[in-house]
Amino acid sequence: MKHVQKVLLVNAGTDGDVSSIANDGTFPALGVVSLATVLLRDHPYLDVIALDGQITPMPEIEQLIRDFEPDVLGLSALGTSYLNTLRLAEAGKNAGAVTILGNDQAAAMARQILAHRECVDYVCAADVGEFALSAFVDALDGERPVTSVPGLLYRTDEGVVHNRLPEIPAPLVDIGAGAMVGNVLDAIPVPDRSLMPAANWERYRQNYLARYGSLHDDEEVTGVTTINRARGCARVKHPCHFCGIADLNLRFSSPEVFWHDVRAAQQQVAATIFYEAFDSMSSSPRWVERLVQARPKDIGDPRFFVYTQAAETTERIVDLYLRLGVYRVNMGLESGDTRMLKLLKGPRDSLENNRRACALFKEAGLPIYGSLVLGGPGEDHESLDNTVAFARWLIDNEMMAALEAQPLYPDFGALTGRWMMNPDLARATAKDKGFEILDDALLDSMPEKYGRGDIVDFDEISMDWCRIFSRVGWDELVEATRTIRGYADRHGTVSGSARISDSRLA
């Protein structure tokens, strides 16, 4: 192959039949920008374009593929955007590009994708893909063997190979409980947000104001951006059963690089609103305190939207959030029933902790972006009614900036998905946790039904999950979803439901 000269990186937009979530199109897909930044740092001769399919329409991206004729087409694929990803991969192959997929769907279904999709040449399963993609370009240029590219999966005569190699070129020190120190994420350069078209950034701002402008009556929002200077979660050894994040080990940037990233975003896209995509900010109060202590005096008034957890919410973390500049939190509340919370998340979670955390945030003036998961293992009518009542309580007490609800979808990267693929594991877990397998024959058929293909119908697998694990029927879960979303909409709260067909909620 000729040397790589042109690279197009695209975050595929949500498939047309999938219901939107409350944040769709309001915050940028930072991953493709970060990938482009590292590529240009390591290969300054490249012509690199980064696009977000949530903003740029599909026909425009397809036309760009034809006109630009990239040597490499990199696609960020989620389960909710997989059909669009395949459509773009086909367009890329028709234009002569080498195609490579990354992100959650690609990592979870890599072998199935390579078995079924000739339009996909490679899959990158690395959690931190920047350095893998740069090494991949070197490999295409013949400067290193493809076997040295971290996290890469590809076809060979002997079958699919997976390069299980370290992703980040920096030393780590394990301090226990899954925590890693050494400011390892400092190795990821501050993204050059100017690599995404300026029109995209204005569209993010307009979308954000349309949904959440009421939170900023007294302040001007000149730009919104994503930032991701820490990763992981304190639940690394005992993750939430529906969490599909591949690597929950705690990793951080230094406070200096965090604030450098903030300042760069202010200068590049006039950002005043920052969505820190750290999987759980409350998992590391010490890091938040370091950020507060290192905050530059001349940084202005950046405002942060962060992930947090009810079980970890204390007066201390709320105070740190306020000092940092947090104005809104994203909190997975999941259920309004203590029994279900313990089954879905763990022994520290309860309705009491959910209510307490919500009350602390309301007292601090911090609205919540909340989410609820319906139909967990052992869900019954009483627990579902408790969750619907809890949703109304949240909305009535004006705690919600947005509220999502949906029937449980068993992600193959999560414990719930692994139960579907391993009936013996499901039965052992049910015995240990105290819930019941309701349809043994259906459970036994799941590995054959879903273990070979690369396309999963969200509604169908959610229905199958429900028949096996939930005592409430799937149609009743959808009706409860409608009830929660309708109540939110009538009371001026933004609502949404990912991974469920829009037609089901009509």
Side-chain angles (χ1 to χ4, degrees):
M1 176 182 170
K2 64 182 180 181
H3 282 284
V4 175
Q5 296 177 324
K6 295 183 289 185
V7 178
L8 177 60
L9 303 171
V10 182
N11 175 67
T14 301
D15 295 334
D17 64 340
V18 178
S19 178
S20 64
I21 62 174
N23 264 349
D24 272 354
T26 57
F27 289 99
L30 190 68
V32 290
V33 177
S34 186
L35 290 167
T37 301
V38 172
L39 278 186
L40 286 172
R41 182 198 66 179
D42 296 347
H43 310 85
Y45 57 86
L46 286 177
D47 188 0
V48 181
I49 298 174
L51 290 177
D52 184 0
Q54 289 294 108
I55 298 296
T56 303
M58 174 68 80
E60 290 186 23
I61 300 175
E62 290 175 314
Q63 186 61 51
L64 177 63
I65 291 172
R66 290 190 290 270
D67 294 342
F68 187 53
E69 295 183 325
D71 300 308
V72 175
L73 174 62
L75 297 168
S76 177
L78 298 175
T80 49
S81 63
Y82 185 54
L83 296 180
N84 279 340
T85 299
L86 293 179
R87 178 174 162 181
L88 291 172
E90 288 279 4
K93 290 309 297 178
N94 290 337
V98 173
T99 56
I100 179 169
L101 269 56
N103 216 330
D104 292 352
Q105 176 74 1
M109 305 287 285
R111 293 183 181 276
Q112 292 96 314
I113 292 169
L114 290 171
H116 291 277
R117 304 297 163 182
E118 292 184 4
C119 62
V120 178
D121 297 315
Y122 298 88
V123 172
C124 180
D127 183 63
V128 178
E130 286 86 347
F131 307 107
L133 185 62
S134 181
F136 177 67
V137 169
D138 285 337
L140 293 180
D141 283 343
E143 296 178 6
R144 64 188 295 167
V146 72
T147 54
S148 71
V149 179
L152 194 68
L153 289 96
Y154 48 95
R155 304 177 189 91
T156 70
D157 292 339
E158 288 74 39
V160 173
V161 172
H162 184 182
N163 299 340
R164 300 180 184 275
L165 302 169
E167 299 175 13
I168 303 178
L172 295 178
V173 177
D174 190 341
I175 60 173
M180 314 298 282
V181 297
N183 297 327
V184 63
L185 297 188
D186 281 0
I188 301 174
V190 170
D192 181 355
R193 293 167 175 85
S194 67
L195 294 174
M196 188 177 283
N200 280 24
W201 294 100
E202 176 57 20
R203 178 73 179 277
Y204 292 127
R205 188 180 78 90
Q206 293 295 339
N207 288 350
Y208 178 85
L209 288 173
R211 289 177 176 85
Y212 303 111
S214 61
L215 299 177
H216 305 281
D217 290 338
D218 299 324
E219 58 185 315
E220 184 181 10
V221 175
T222 57
V224 299
T225 189
T226 309
I227 184 172
N228 193 193
R229 281 295 155 191
R231 302 185 185 187
C233 175
R235 297 178 189 263
V236 58
K237 292 186 177 180
H238 304 285
C240 298
H241 291 167
F242 48 81
C243 176
I245 297 171
D247 187 354
L248 288 175
N249 285 302
L250 288 166
R251 293 149 291 163
F252 304 94
S253 290
S254 64
E256 292 74 21
V257 169
F258 176 92
W259 290 112
H260 179 45
D261 202 338
V262 170
R263 196 183 298 277
Q266 290 173 330
Q267 295 168 350
Q268 293 166 354
V269 295
T272 53
I273 303 297
F274 293 78
Y275 175 29
E276 170 51 73
F278 181 13
D279 299 312
S280 182
M281 200 83 162
S282 57
S283 287
S284 185
R286 290 183 181 179
W287 186 67
V288 181
E289 187 166 26
R290 290 174 63 208
L291 297 182
V292 170
Q293 291 171 347
R295 180 187 176 107
K297 290 185 171 58
D298 63 344
I299 201 69
D301 189 26
R303 308 276 274 160
F304 297 97
F305 172 34
V306 304
Y307 282 100
T308 197
Q309 296 192 53
E312 296 172 344
T313 298
T314 62
E315 291 183 1
R316 178 193 176 205
I317 196 68
V318 173
D319 177 64
L320 287 171
Y321 286 169
L322 292 173
R323 291 163 60 194
L324 180 65
V326 172
Y327 74 99
R328 177 168 66 125
V329 297
N330 185 341
M331 187 157 59
L333 296 165
E334 319 315 352
S335 177
D337 183 87
T338 292
R339 180 179 63 87
M340 287 308 305
L341 282 164
K342 293 187 183 303
L343 284 171
L344 286 166
K345 304 187 76 171
R348 292 189 302 159
D349 291 272
S350 65
L351 176 59
E352 179 184 0
N353 278 342
N354 275 1
R355 285 180 176 269
R356 177 187 52 78
C358 292
L360 283 173
F361 284 124
K362 181 178 182 181
E363 184 179 353
L366 298 179
I368 300 164
Y369 178 124
S371 57
L372 298 167
V373 176
L374 313 181
E379 184 90 83
D380 58 24
H381 289 93
E382 180 182 5
S383 61
L384 183 61
D385 288 345
N386 287 342
T387 296
V388 173
F390 179 53
R392 290 184 171 126
W393 178 81
L394 292 167
I395 294 165
D396 289 344
N397 285 279
E398 300 180 341
M399 294 174 171
M400 296 285 103
L403 183 62
E404 290 185 12
Q406 67 179 47
L408 189 147
Y409 165 80
D411 191 313
F412 290 124
L415 287 169
T416 49
R418 292 200 285 277
W419 297 346
M420 297 281 273
M421 293 299 99
N422 187 337
D424 289 340
L425 175 62
R427 292 185 176 97
T429 305
K431 183 177 180 180
D432 179 55
K433 300 292 185 182
F435 59 88
E436 187 178 356
I437 303 298
L438 302 172
D439 191 328
D440 283 284
L442 183 59
L443 174 61
D444 287 334
S445 72
M446 292 295 96
E448 177 67 23
K449 182 174 183 178
Y450 294 111
R452 300 181 185 276
D454 61 317
I455 295 179
V456 175
D457 183 294
F458 296 140
D459 292 351
E460 185 175 3
I461 194 172
S462 185
M463 290 178 194
D464 285 341
W465 163 273
C466 181
R467 294 186 186 104
I468 296 167
F469 295 102
S470 172
R471 291 188 170 278
V472 180
W474 196 79
D475 288 341
E476 294 173 281
L477 298 176
V478 172
E479 183 57 35
T481 299
R482 287 197 199 100
T483 298
I484 292 169
R485 289 190 60 176
Y487 196 80
D489 293 341
R490 289 193 301 274
H491 290 77
T493 298
V494 179
S495 68
S497 298
R499 284 182 169 163
I500 182 172
S501 295
D502 243 342
S503 61
R504 299 283 181 178
L505 298 174

